[in-house]
Amino acid sequence: MTPASSAAGGARRLLLVISSLGGGGAERVLSIMANHWAARGVEVTFCTISGTRDDHYALDPRVRRVALDLAGESAGALRGVRANAGRLLALRRAAVASRCDAAISFGDTTNVLTTLALAGTGIPLLVSERADPRFGVMGPARRALRTLMYPRTAGVVVQTPEVRAWAERFVPRARVHVIANPLSPLTEAPASVPEGRPVGPVVFGVGRLVPQKGFDLLIRAFAAVRRTHPAWSLVLLGEGGAREELRRLAVELGVADAVHLPGRVARPVDWLRGGERVFVLSSRFEGFPNALLEAMAAGVASIATDCPSGPANIVRDGVDGLLVPSEDVDALAAALDRLLGDPDLRSRLAARAVEVSDRFGEQTILRRWDELLAAVRAERREVAG
């Protein structure tokens, strides 16, 4: 098979649907998939419920971008019903206009919307849960619709065996598939240190500044070891509603001078390269943490909480990183103290950490998607034939 014929399981046209093209991990993954398939001759339509104002990731010029610009909350139940009806109709029209052979949707709420919009069109749909749905905040009506509609799709894609067990409670086992996030090849390191990065050794956290990411736990753990390791700084890359709360916590613990919050940066991995550095994933829960994958691929010694779900599928404890119990500040501080004080351990873990590029490389993971799409198309032909 040529690359063009084998890509996307032989599909000529694909529709990809997500809430937005903002700076989140799911958006990054779907943009990677879109660009991968477009480069191999597949006609890709990339559809977002939102507009283009918050676009963060670049799409290949060959990808057809459709922005419905219908995101947002509605005031009142009746207006909410009308707004959702408008989204359904607009998405259905976009799907039919794309003349796609198959569709892929990312994200719980968007998945429910897409299953309803494509009902009766004959378009096979794969829906993908990107976070751990056991910790989701969907309302009861949408949860009921998810339970009703997911079994009617061509397949449900999750990222870990733990979430697979959740999905199999209401979706036939044969239709549930585990595919991890793809790790893109690292680009060339910048010639200079990014502006704003502190001088000296740095502990990094990367992600949205929200309670899920556990940066409050990381600041407490860092404060506990600061006296022993005074040369180290803590940098939290990302933006979110917890910014001021985290600043106040750093002041309260007496480490404000060493805790830096530069905000969202275009290429976090560039901040992690060079010098003495440690990466910490302090999350309370995850889907499949891209930031951890990228830090390890960049050769950074890493600590991760063993939270649901993802880190235990990535980190081999004591081999290429350290795992600590979730929401345990003392355990996190102990791991930090151990790693900051032992350069040989940092070097040893970093040397093995780069192996994630083999285990979760873009080509390896996207081949799994190609195989799944091929199976979906084969099943459709069998049913039709």
Side-chain angles (χ1 to χ4, degrees):
M1 272 191 181
T2 65
S5 63
S6 61
R12 292 177 299 168
R13 291 178 289 272
L14 280 180
L15 171 68
L16 308 183
V17 185
I18 195 168
S19 175
S20 76
L21 196 51
E27 293 88 341
R28 184 190 69 84
V29 170
L30 199 60
S31 67
I32 289 171
M33 293 165 63
N35 294 340
H36 167 84
W37 284 320
R40 285 155 180 77
V42 180
E43 294 179 26
V44 179
T45 298
F46 195 104
C47 182
T48 60
I49 310 304
S50 70
T52 60
R53 291 177 296 278
D54 296 326
D55 282 9
H56 181 76
Y57 298 106
L59 294 174
D60 187 294
R62 290 165 287 194
V63 174
R64 178 173 173 257
R65 177 78 164 88
V66 175
L68 301 181
D69 201 12
L70 294 173
E73 296 295 327
S74 302
L78 182 58
R79 289 186 177 179
V81 170
R82 289 175 177 169
N84 281 324
R87 295 180 189 114
L88 284 171
L89 182 58
L91 180 53
R92 187 181 183 89
R93 286 172 174 165
V96 172
S98 74
R99 299 182 299 128
C100 60
D101 301 311
I104 298 171
S105 173
F106 267 29
D108 50 13
T109 299
T110 302
N111 290 343
V112 171
L113 181 71
T114 308
T115 58
L116 294 171
L118 268 58
T121 63
I123 299 171
L125 170 65
L126 294 169
V127 296
S128 182
E129 287 281 342
R130 306 311 299 175
D132 191 322
R134 297 171 295 178
F135 296 87
V137 292
M138 290 182 77
R142 286 176 178 170
R143 287 201 305 269
L145 282 171
R146 178 170 62 184
T147 302
L148 175 67
M149 299 302 294
Y150 274 21
R152 304 184 184 193
T153 65
V156 176
V157 178
V158 298
Q159 298 174 92
T160 65
E162 295 85 353
V163 179
R164 175 175 192 149
W166 165 84
E168 287 176 353
R169 292 186 303 185
F170 60 99
V171 178
R173 179 178 177 81
R175 291 190 180 273
V176 182
H177 312 274
V178 179
I179 304 179
N181 279 348
L183 176 63
S184 297
L186 294 181
T187 55
E188 187 174 336
S192 59
V193 174
E195 183 178 353
R197 173 174 157 167
V199 176
V202 182
V203 176
F204 285 99
V206 178
R208 289 176 295 123
L209 305 184
V210 294
Q212 173 199 341
K213 299 299 182 181
F215 290 138
D216 56 318
L217 308 174
L218 177 52
I219 291 174
R220 291 184 184 279
F222 177 76
V225 303
R226 176 81 192 293
R227 182 170 303 210
T228 309
H229 307 284
W232 288 78
S233 299
L234 173 62
V235 173
L236 304 179
L237 298 175
E239 195 51 85
R243 167 180 282 275
E244 289 309 312
E245 179 183 339
L246 295 173
R247 282 192 184 280
R248 287 195 297 269
L249 180 61
V251 170
E252 175 189 327
L253 297 175
V255 293
D257 62 317
V259 176
H260 307 271
L261 290 85
R264 181 186 293 173
V265 299
R267 289 163 46 90
V269 71
D270 289 346
W271 285 64
L272 272 62
R273 287 166 153 162
E276 295 180 273
R277 67 266 199 253
V278 165
F279 176 84
V280 179
L281 181 94
S282 52
S283 300
R284 291 178 165 91
F285 65 93
E286 278 288 346
F288 202 86
N290 296 326
L292 176 61
L293 279 175
E294 292 177 355
M296 294 175 67
V300 181
S302 299
I303 302 169
T305 55
D306 189 8
C307 67
S309 54
N313 304 111
I314 298 171
V315 175
R316 297 171 293 188
D317 187 30
V319 176
D320 53 14
L322 300 178
L323 282 175
V324 299
S326 182
E327 298 197 62
D328 188 332
V329 172
D330 290 341
L332 183 53
L336 259 180
D337 183 51
R338 180 184 173 195
L339 207 50
L340 301 190
D342 191 339
D344 291 338
L345 176 60
R346 293 201 302 271
S347 296
R348 178 167 61 81
L349 295 178
R352 297 295 302 273
V354 296
E355 294 171 9
V356 295
S357 296
D358 297 324
R359 296 159 55 209
F360 301 104
E362 184 176 307
Q363 296 304 317
T364 299
I365 299 301
L366 292 179
R367 190 179 307 118
R368 297 280 311 280
W369 279 100
D370 288 340
E371 292 167 354
L372 178 55
L373 284 165
V376 166
R377 285 169 50 78
E379 180 181 353
R380 187 184 185 193
R381 287 194 297 269
E382 183 178 330
V383 171

